[in-house]
Amino acid sequence: AQRVTQPEKLLSVFKGAPVELKCNYSYSGSPELFWYVQYSRQRLQLLLRHISRESIKGFTADLNKGETSFHLKKPFAQEEDSAMYYCALTVGGTSYGKLTFGQGTILTVHP
Amino acid sequence: DAGVTQSPTHLIKTRGQQVTLRCSPKSGHDTVSWYQQALGQGPQFIFQYYEEEERQRGNFPDRFSGHQFPNYSSELNVNALLLGDSALYLCASSLAQGAGYTFGSGTRLTVV
């Protein structure tokens, strides 16, 4: 069975500092990896997905199949980045496959 | 477009009772998935409905059942409620042909 691990429950950085949210997964095949974000009092929303290889709000994530990781990075954190971040994977397609989530990391960006 | 709409937003039930939660998918979406999110945890997949049938199911007991209607809306039913069923229940809709999930705000269920 697939599994997603986010080792940090809490992460604090200062505005302008680089930030990296870690995500490791276990699955023997080729999963699709996602980062979802939940801002305060808002619903869960997709931040980015590895197959699109795009940068959203300055965030990027590279899939490392050798290390089975999909860490989320941003070179200069902003206060508005403070939120709960979930790493998730699916197998079998974005609609057919269930999403398996990690436990989440609360990112706090201090002024 | 209101996106995914869930009702009610909050609910308090007594142990042993039954509950029904409702979800209206985003306009144009035909697939509905349900997730349970316990406090401090990531969402866990319950099941997914497409063309009014359960297409995939997670590791949840038969007390959890669902339904999808011809207009693509969906219900989640939980029988014989346990204290451990207290959680945020999220609905997510998508297109069978891809493009990712859109989540609702959830229903907060408290079992006392």
Side-chain angles (χ1 to χ4, degrees):
Chain A
Q2 54 266 36
R3 187 182 181 91
V4 177
T5 303
Q6 294 179 250
E8 304 138 329
K9 210 136 174 74
L10 301 168
L11 186 62
S12 289
V13 300
F14 286 99
K15 176 182 173 182
V19 63
E20 180 179 69
L21 291 84
K22 290 184 169 48
C23 171
N24 291 90
Y25 68 90
S26 61
Y27 180 66
S28 56
S30 295
E32 287 189 53
L33 274 296
F34 305 85
W35 278 98
Y36 280 82
V37 61
Q38 188 166 29
Y39 301 103
S40 180
R41 286 184 288 279
Q42 293 187 29
R43 60 189 65 191
L44 199 59
Q45 57 186 284
L46 178 67
L47 180 61
L48 55 80
R49 47 195 291 191
H50 89 272
I51 60 172
S52 57
R53 301 188 65 81
E54 55 192 346
S55 172
I56 305 293
K57 299 185 178 183
F59 284 98
T60 58
D62 288 321
L63 178 61
N64 186 323
K65 292 186 178 181
E67 296 182 358
T68 59
S69 68
F70 188 56
H71 303 326
L72 183 68
K73 301 176 184 179
K74 185 169 183 177
F76 307 104
Q78 303 299 314
E79 289 179 68
E80 55 265 30
D81 296 329
S82 296
M84 172 70 93
Y85 290 80
Y86 292 99
C87 182
L89 69 77
T90 187
V91 297
T94 56
S95 287
Y96 291 100
K98 66 175 186 179
L99 281 168
T100 299
F101 286 88
Q103 290 195 310
T105 297
I106 300 173
L107 173 65
T108 303
V109 181
H110 300 283
Chain B
D1 180 9
V4 177
T5 305
Q6 292 188 243
S7 63
T9 54
H10 296 84
L11 201 53
I12 299 175
K13 287 287 189 178
T14 303
R15 192 171 45 181
Q17 284 188 313
Q18 179 263 344
V19 68
T20 297
L21 311 182
R22 295 177 176 82
C23 172
S24 292
K26 181 178 178 178
S27 178
H29 284 184
D30 56 9
T31 303
V32 173
S33 303
W34 287 92
Y35 290 81
Q36 181 195 66
Q37 187 174 19
L39 203 59
Q41 304 292 319
Q44 281 200 300
F45 177 77
I46 302 175
F47 41 54
Q48 183 181 84
Y49 277 84
Y50 171 66
E51 292 189 339
E52 303 179 48
E53 290 192 1
E54 184 183 287
R55 182 162 65 180
Q56 198 173 6
R57 189 179 181 92
N59 295 326
F60 279 80
D62 292 344
R63 299 187 296 109
F64 289 77
S65 63
H67 190 78
Q68 185 179 34
F69 300 94
N71 66 353
Y72 307 121
S73 66
S74 178
E75 288 181 348
L76 163 65
N77 301 291
V78 187
N79 294 323
L81 284 166
L82 304 173
L83 297 179
D85 295 331
S86 295
L88 180 69
Y89 288 84
L90 296 170
C91 173
S93 72
S94 57
L95 275 171
Q97 300 308 315
Y101 296 98
T102 300
F103 280 84
S105 298
T107 294
R108 173 74 62 188
L109 172 65
T110 302
V111 182
V112 297

